[in-house]
Amino acid sequence: MSLTIKRIGSIDGIRGWSLFGILLANLLIFQYGIFGKDEISYFDLSQSNLFFYYFVKIFIEGAFMPIFTFLFGYSLILMRNSLERKQLRIKWHLFRRFIVLMILGGLHSTFLWEGDILFVYGLMGIFLLMFVNRKPKTLLIWGVLLFAAFSIISLFDSGEDFELTNPEKIETYLDETWIIYGTGTYAEIKDHRNNVDPMELSGGEAVLLLILMPVLLVPMFLFGMYAAHRKWLLDPLKEKQQYLIWLLILIPLGLLLKAAPYLFNEAGWSFGMSGIGGTVLPIGYICLFAFAYSKLHTHRLLIAFENVGKLSLTNYIMQTIICTFIFYGYGIGLFAKLGVTASLFLGILIFSVQVMVSTLYLKLFNQGPLEKLMRVFVYLKIH
């Protein structure tokens, strides 16, 4: 999701890698629904499918989206610096970019799929405008404070207040979703997605969730902005020893924290540990990819991730189009039929196709179609 700023191979590569992880995690939503993925006992999975379900929950889900969030903050500073060099109005151009993201996100969630992130990113981008001209130290302090606040809240709140408290209602919802998503027409699926909601949040709870959103999301945005100011990830070869140390610490710690809900019975405590792991593990994964870049920066695999990352916005939307066609009734109709194990192989296949298409496309064009559209609205110029 970038504008015409100087391309940084490692950043594009990490962005492409995060898209791969996001696809594998989102396949749970594509196949079981936004609520069904966390009510997996309803679908009576086999032992092998359960194994890979928990593998995805611990190693992948909630670990790659924060990487994308980190890179969003990183790119925000790169764009800010680019706009400043061109003597353009920084906040006004960024504001237009975030409005476009919100519009795309609204269209995406309304007409295609309930798992959209673009609207939230656009909304959070507007919130981040107050930080865009702050000093790196200020960004780090706010990031640490908000992360600490989130950690304390999550440690003492199991999240049960926001869970579906009516088992009969969620079962009825899943019954309807299975039928409609698996066999319904586009209009029926769209109507179900936009008008049927099993959540029972009061107005006060909804407001509280809205207030807590910055506390949950902003730390990774700010850490990414801080990293861009400090020019981290620009020279992986020079910093490889640091990346090696941190990946060896953060990845095992993050996996342990993510696994806490499945290892311990104390719901509130394990919920909090998992939430903290959702920040620790992604940073460890970033260090892992950066270390790989220091060793294999010209390897075909890393170049493949770069190519996907350069077209991140277009590829993200294409993942939705491809997967909804595969799983929904107006396409092949494999909703809740394929299984988690097979869906992982499907994810690898889809991403491999995206790698090939992105590589061929970039030989002909400099930007993806949605990236080009974004640039036109941000700069208000066709060329």
Side-chain angles (χ1 to χ4, degrees):
M1 300 179 188
S2 57
L3 301 180
T4 52
I5 55 179
K6 183 179 179 181
R7 308 304 314 192
I8 300 173
S10 58
I11 300 301
D12 284 329
I14 296 174
R15 185 179 288 111
W17 191 48
S18 69
L19 274 175
F20 178 49
I22 289 170
L23 171 60
L24 296 182
N26 283 345
L27 279 166
L28 290 179
I29 305 177
F30 287 121
Q31 182 167 201
Y32 300 110
I34 193 74
F35 296 101
K37 75 177 182 66
D38 293 318
E39 301 286 342
I40 204 65
S41 60
Y42 172 86
F43 296 98
D44 193 25
L45 300 185
S46 67
Q47 287 300 312
S48 61
N49 279 312
L50 274 177
F51 172 83
F52 282 105
Y53 171 78
Y54 290 119
F55 173 85
V56 172
K57 298 290 282 188
I58 295 171
F59 285 81
I60 300 175
E61 187 182 64
F64 284 86
M65 190 64 73
I67 296 177
F68 213 68
T69 304
F70 177 94
L71 295 174
F72 186 96
Y74 197 107
S75 297
L76 177 57
I77 295 303
L78 295 183
M79 285 183 283
R80 178 217 172 276
N81 295 341
S82 176
L83 291 167
E84 185 177 49
R85 287 193 299 269
K86 296 174 183 176
Q87 297 183 330
L88 297 174
R89 297 173 63 185
I90 295 172
K91 289 189 176 181
W92 184 235
H93 283 75
L94 292 175
F95 178 76
R96 286 202 295 265
R97 177 177 189 261
F98 300 142
I99 291 298
V100 174
L101 278 179
M102 291 177 66
I103 293 172
L104 288 175
L107 295 173
H108 184 215
S109 60
T110 300
F111 295 101
L112 290 176
W113 184 54
E114 65 260 41
D116 173 75
I117 61 167
L118 300 179
F119 183 87
V120 173
Y121 273 41
L123 185 64
M124 295 308 302
I126 293 175
F127 176 82
L128 290 170
L129 289 177
M130 70 175 69
F131 291 100
V132 75
N133 291 323
R134 300 297 181 184
K135 296 179 180 179
K137 183 178 179 181
T138 302
L139 299 174
L140 181 61
I141 291 174
W142 272 103
V144 171
L145 288 176
L146 290 172
F147 175 65
F150 162 71
S151 300
I152 293 171
I153 292 171
S154 62
L155 281 173
F156 292 97
D157 182 5
S158 67
E160 292 178 352
D161 292 339
F162 302 110
E163 289 183 355
L164 301 170
T165 56
N166 188 335
E168 293 182 1
K169 185 172 183 178
I170 183 59
E171 186 169 351
T172 299
Y173 171 83
L174 292 177
D175 287 340
E176 295 175 355
T177 300
W178 194 335
I179 295 172
I180 294 173
Y181 277 25
T183 63
T185 64
Y186 171 81
E188 291 171 335
I189 293 171
K190 177 176 175 289
D191 178 70
H192 182 77
R193 178 175 61 248
N194 294 327
N195 299 311
V196 181
D197 184 2
M199 294 293 286
E200 296 182 336
L201 294 180
S202 66
E205 289 171 334
V207 171
L208 180 59
L209 280 178
L210 186 63
I211 294 174
L212 290 178
M213 184 184 297
V215 180
L216 174 64
L217 298 177
V218 167
M220 285 300 282
F221 284 113
L222 295 179
F223 292 152
M225 294 168 71
Y226 176 79
H229 276 295
R230 294 305 185 196
K231 303 186 185 306
W232 292 353
L233 304 174
L234 297 186
D235 190 356
L237 184 61
K238 180 181 178 181
E239 302 164 341
K240 66 178 181 179
Q241 194 65 30
Q242 299 176 42
Y243 295 135
L244 177 60
I245 293 172
W246 282 112
L247 75 88
L248 291 176
I249 295 173
L250 296 179
I251 291 180
L253 177 60
L255 290 174
L256 178 61
L257 294 171
K258 288 287 298 300
Y262 312 106
L263 297 176
F264 305 102
N265 294 322
E266 295 81 356
W269 184 82
S270 62
F271 177 85
M273 291 294 99
S274 178
I276 298 171
T279 297
V280 173
L281 183 59
I283 295 176
Y285 281 167
I286 291 172
C287 292
L288 173 62
F289 195 93
F291 180 76
Y293 230 90
S294 71
K295 294 287 189 179
L296 306 167
H297 61 278
T298 59
H299 194 280
R300 288 184 178 181
L301 180 61
L302 298 185
I303 300 300
F305 284 124
E306 282 186 35
N307 291 336
V308 175
K310 290 174 181 177
L311 308 176
S312 57
L313 180 57
T314 298
N315 277 319
Y316 172 71
I317 297 297
M318 284 306 303
Q319 288 177 357
T320 294
I321 294 172
I322 293 169
C323 290
T324 51
F325 178 80
I326 290 172
F327 290 104
Y328 289 0
Y330 55 80
I332 300 175
L334 291 182
F335 188 83
K337 295 179 181 177
L338 190 63
V340 181
T341 307
S343 73
L344 291 176
F345 289 101
L346 174 65
I348 295 172
L349 175 61
I350 292 172
F351 190 80
S352 298
V353 172
Q354 289 193 300
V355 166
M356 292 186 289
V357 173
S358 297
T359 301
L360 292 173
Y361 183 91
L362 288 170
K363 292 181 179 180
L364 302 174
F365 306 98
N366 293 325
Q367 290 181 302
L370 292 183
E371 285 77 9
K372 179 65 175 179
L373 178 67
M374 175 72 75
R375 174 175 171 76
V376 169
F377 278 98
V378 170
Y379 286 102
L380 300 180
K381 293 180 180 179
I382 300 298
H383 300 292

